[in-house]
Amino acid sequence: MMTKGEPHPAHVDMLLEKGRTVEAIAATERAAASGDKEALFRLALWHLIGEILPRDLPRAHQLLRKAREAGHVEAAHMEIALTVTGSGAQADWSTGCMLLQKLSSIDAAAAHQAQLLTAMRLDAFGVPKALPKAEVLSASPRVTLFRDFLTEAECAHIAATSAPLLEPSLVVDPASGRQMPHPIRTSDGALIGPTREDPVIRAINLRIAAISQTDVAQGEALTILRYRPGQQYRLHLDTLPHTRNQRVKTVLVYLNGGFAGGETQFPSIGLTVAPRGGDALVFDNVTEDGRPDVRTKHAGLPVRAGAKWLATRWIRARSFDPWRGPEVPL
């Protein structure tokens, strides 16, 4: 309930729409100082987005904590995600899990996450204690399959987390600067960024780092793709042109079964992998000297029936900052 002197969110929105940004910030800061949880959360989002206010991850983290203490459930989930990933503060797995456990007593989504974590065999830092057996499908270029990498429940959690974010795959037209349909990938896609990387997603990303023998900080945000009948990912390389920090590995995790088609095909090495829910495929994108390996050109064949869900994590040569957006090319 609003108290006297606190701005209504619609009033702040109106000020922003009219370009009266300074007034909107001042009104929101006054309300936050009085302990209003919505104002605290809004300020945190502004500092995370970095448009209305400068991006300040430590400050956003502090505001989320205050909003959570005032009873804001969404702020609590976001604070937990930033805590386990180390955005705005040192990564702290144990504190994040403690906050999740506390939230689970009043929030069903948190309780579900806590249940999933209990079923995982993790050490004190969220790293898996054991990994599935590796099946080498190609020695050069190296392509490795890990069967039953994720459980059905873990796959479902990834899909459910990304479902509200799915939108048609787009690219920017270099001529007009406008977004246009992706000419190679005809799927629906979503990114699970730092504010949504809950402890379950974080534990899965740590597991991906383990099977790819890389540091978790090298991974881009987990990308979720949904392919419906006729949709596909045409033949392509995952490497990027003119980059300072190349995508050296790719990890594909098949999230479901029950569909037809959608195989991952590597024509140059005569390899076709049939998707099976829970399996993970890891392959190198570069040669030993760091150049793009054209032999890893691959395609996601068209889906003929049903829907294929796929989680992709591209692994860079060095740490990758998900907050900075597209890197400046060479």
Side-chain angles (χ1 to χ4, degrees):
M1 180 181 296
M2 301 294 295
T3 60
K4 187 176 181 180
E6 293 177 0
H8 192 283
H11 176 66
V12 174
D13 291 338
M14 180 272 292
L15 290 174
L16 292 173
E17 289 174 2
K18 292 186 175 182
R20 295 160 62 181
T21 305
V22 173
E23 293 177 59
I25 294 172
T28 306
E29 287 179 337
R30 286 195 299 270
S34 72
D36 178 57
K37 64 183 181 181
E38 294 297 339
L40 287 163
F41 184 58
R42 182 180 285 238
L43 284 176
L45 291 180
W46 286 349
H47 278 301
L48 288 170
I49 296 169
E51 293 180 357
I52 294 175
L53 290 172
R55 174 166 289 151
D56 187 337
L57 299 183
R59 179 59 178 156
H61 202 130
Q62 294 169 357
L63 290 164
L64 288 172
R65 174 177 54 81
K66 291 180 179 180
R68 184 255 303 167
E69 292 172 345
H72 200 293
V73 172
E74 188 176 354
H77 277 286
M78 202 168 287
E79 180 196 12
I80 290 167
L82 298 185
T83 298
V84 297
T85 61
S87 291
Q90 184 69 30
D92 190 338
W93 176 261
S94 61
T95 297
C97 290
M98 179 191 68
L99 291 172
L100 180 69
Q101 196 63 45
K102 183 180 296 185
L103 184 62
S104 67
S105 64
I106 61 170
D107 180 70
H112 178 65
Q113 291 176 32
Q115 184 180 22
L116 288 175
L117 286 178
T118 300
M120 297 178 175
R121 296 182 59 195
L122 306 174
D123 67 11
F125 302 97
V127 176
K129 292 181 178 179
L131 294 173
K133 183 179 178 180
E135 181 181 339
V136 178
L137 304 182
S138 170
S140 181
R142 191 168 184 83
V143 182
T144 309
L145 180 67
F146 293 84
R147 296 199 179 276
D148 299 317
F149 174 72
L150 294 185
T151 66
E152 184 176 350
E154 291 165 351
C155 291
H157 178 73
I158 293 175
T161 301
S162 64
L165 309 173
L166 287 172
E167 57 185 19
S169 298
L170 301 172
V171 293
V172 175
D173 182 356
S176 67
R178 298 177 180 176
Q179 289 191 323
M180 57 181 287
H182 200 297
I184 296 176
R185 187 173 69 229
T186 57
S187 60
D188 299 311
L191 295 179
I192 301 180
T195 61
R196 292 178 178 267
E197 193 174 332
D198 61 50
V200 175
I201 303 294
R202 181 62 171 182
I204 290 170
N205 280 336
L206 286 164
R207 201 183 306 174
I208 288 173
I211 64 169
S212 60
Q213 299 180 347
T214 59
D215 188 275
V216 69
Q218 292 174 241
E220 297 181 29
L222 195 65
T223 299
I224 314 304
L225 302 173
R226 180 185 62 193
Y227 297 85
R228 290 172 169 163
Q231 292 183 322
Q232 62 182 308
Y233 202 160
R234 296 183 179 90
L235 201 61
H236 66 284
L237 284 172
D238 284 344
T239 50
L240 301 171
H242 315 299
T243 179
R244 295 181 174 89
N245 192 11
Q246 189 57 269
R247 289 173 171 173
V248 295
K249 293 177 182 283
T250 294
V251 180
L252 305 179
V253 184
Y254 305 107
L255 299 180
N256 69 313
F259 58 91
E263 298 88 352
T264 303
Q265 187 177 79
F266 298 82
S268 295
I269 57 176
L271 176 64
T272 300
V273 181
R276 196 184 77 168
D279 289 354
L281 193 67
V282 184
F283 54 92
D284 295 339
N285 294 318
V286 298
T287 58
E288 290 184 1
D289 61 3
R291 296 183 181 182
D293 191 338
V294 296
R295 298 174 300 170
T296 64
K297 187 173 285 190
H298 58 286
L301 299 184
V303 171
R304 298 193 302 274
K308 168 189 170 183
W309 287 75
L310 178 73
T312 302
R313 190 157 166 93
W314 289 292
I315 312 296
R316 299 295 187 113
R318 298 179 301 282
S319 294
F320 179 82
D321 184 356
W323 293 101
R324 297 186 66 179
E327 62 186 306
V328 178
L330 289 171

